[in-house]
Amino acid sequence: MNEQNKKTVQEETPKTTQGVPASQPSSWKRAMSKRWVFPAAYIAAAGIILTLVWVYQGTGEKTLNSDPASGVVETGASGTEETAVGGEESVEVVAQSESFAWPVASPSEISVVKPFYENEGTTEEHEAAMVQYNDTFIPNTGVDLARGDNKSFEVKAALGGKVTRVEQNPLTGQVVEITHSDNLKTVYQSLSDVKVKQDDEVKQGDAIASAGVNELEKTLGNHLHFEVYEDGQPVNPQGYLPEK
């Protein structure tokens, strides 16, 4: 009886290989049973995907930004474009208007002896800006410049431009008009020894005449009557002239 039971027990015991039960789990199954396996695998997969996306984007930007056939190179994160022609970088040119200069050789020696007539000025300012001719009072449409010793002085172009008028006026004396860009004109009256003629091109600072006398403002002696017109309307020259 004991031998029969012993035989039965031996038949029910599973077979083993090199001392390991046949039903023992594999090493892969043991690893997968760990809690940290799935999060680690997820992080690794996400890292690979992000790396592939970064490489793809870098390749696409290089193709778009460096197209030799179009001659356009896009630089910077803001998408600023610079055009290169023949392998040379273009230089952006910003047009700048020329600033006014005093229409005299030595501004420190010159004073404003009669100001421009401002419509919004005070009564006192209006009186100072009136030009009297016989019994008539005329608003001054420019400024009158003179030396303290009443000597003549050299008159220069306040801006570069084209001489569009040179004439002799019985009241204002010799007159020179220069047309500039930006719808600006400058007018110089009460001149002597005019050095330019109509259609001449002048640069800023070129000598155009000397200060003289005229009939309209003969009480001022040797002086320059200087006017500035913007869009055909007289404006205060002192709003354009720099500080001395």
Side-chain angles (χ1 to χ4, degrees):
M1 184 65 181
N2 291 336
E3 292 180 359
Q4 184 178 358
N5 291 338
K6 183 177 182 181
K7 183 178 180 180
T8 303
V9 171
Q10 289 177 350
E11 289 178 355
E12 292 178 355
T13 302
K15 296 182 180 180
T16 61
T17 303
Q18 297 181 353
V20 179
S23 61
Q24 184 177 1
S26 65
S27 59
W28 170 253
K29 291 182 178 181
R30 289 198 305 271
M32 293 298 293
S33 65
K34 302 296 183 179
R35 293 183 178 180
W36 53 265
V37 171
F38 286 104
Y42 176 79
I43 294 173
I48 293 173
I49 293 173
L50 291 176
T51 302
L52 291 175
V53 171
W54 178 78
V55 171
Y56 175 78
Q57 289 180 342
T59 304
E61 289 180 358
K62 183 177 181 181
T63 302
L64 292 175
N65 297 350
S66 304
D67 186 358
S70 64
V72 176
V73 179
E74 183 178 336
T75 60
S78 62
T80 304
E81 291 187 357
E82 297 179 358
T83 303
V85 180
E88 296 181 358
E89 294 183 359
S90 63
V91 178
E92 183 180 1
V93 178
V94 179
Q96 295 183 344
S97 299
E98 189 176 43
S99 299
F100 271 72
W102 282 85
V104 297
S106 302
S108 60
E109 300 176 355
I110 303 300
S111 299
V112 177
V113 293
K114 189 170 288 295
F116 178 83
Y117 185 94
E118 292 278 12
N119 291 329
E120 297 80 10
T122 64
T123 301
E124 292 76 11
E125 290 172 341
H126 284 171
E127 291 178 355
M130 296 297 291
V131 177
Q132 182 179 0
Y133 180 66
N134 295 331
D135 294 329
T136 304
F137 290 87
I138 306 168
N140 196 16
T141 55
V143 293
D144 294 287
L145 308 175
R147 288 172 55 111
D149 56 10
N150 196 35
K151 290 183 179 180
S152 181
F153 52 89
E154 191 173 45
V155 176
K156 294 178 174 288
L159 284 176
K162 182 177 182 179
V163 178
T164 48
R165 179 161 58 101
V166 177
E167 66 180 21
Q168 175 71 44
N169 185 284
L171 288 180
T172 59
Q174 289 185 289
V175 179
V176 171
E177 176 189 84
I178 302 177
T179 299
H180 316 279
S181 59
D182 299 328
N183 296 320
L184 290 172
K185 287 185 179 182
T186 52
V187 178
Y188 310 76
Q189 297 178 1
S190 189
L191 302 177
S192 64
D193 190 25
V194 175
K195 297 176 173 59
V196 295
K197 60 184 184 299
Q198 188 167 332
D199 297 328
D200 281 353
E201 294 285 343
V202 296
K203 296 179 181 179
Q204 184 182 66
D206 284 351
I208 60 175
S210 296
V213 295
N214 62 22
E215 180 64 22
L216 182 63
E217 298 177 297
K218 57 186 177 183
T219 58
L220 297 179
N222 286 306
H223 73 283
L224 165 66
H225 178 81
F226 178 60
E227 298 177 346
V228 176
Y229 288 81
E230 183 176 1
D231 296 325
Q233 299 297 319
V235 293
N236 190 346
Q238 288 186 268
Y240 290 85
L241 296 175
E243 294 184 2
K244 294 183 182 180

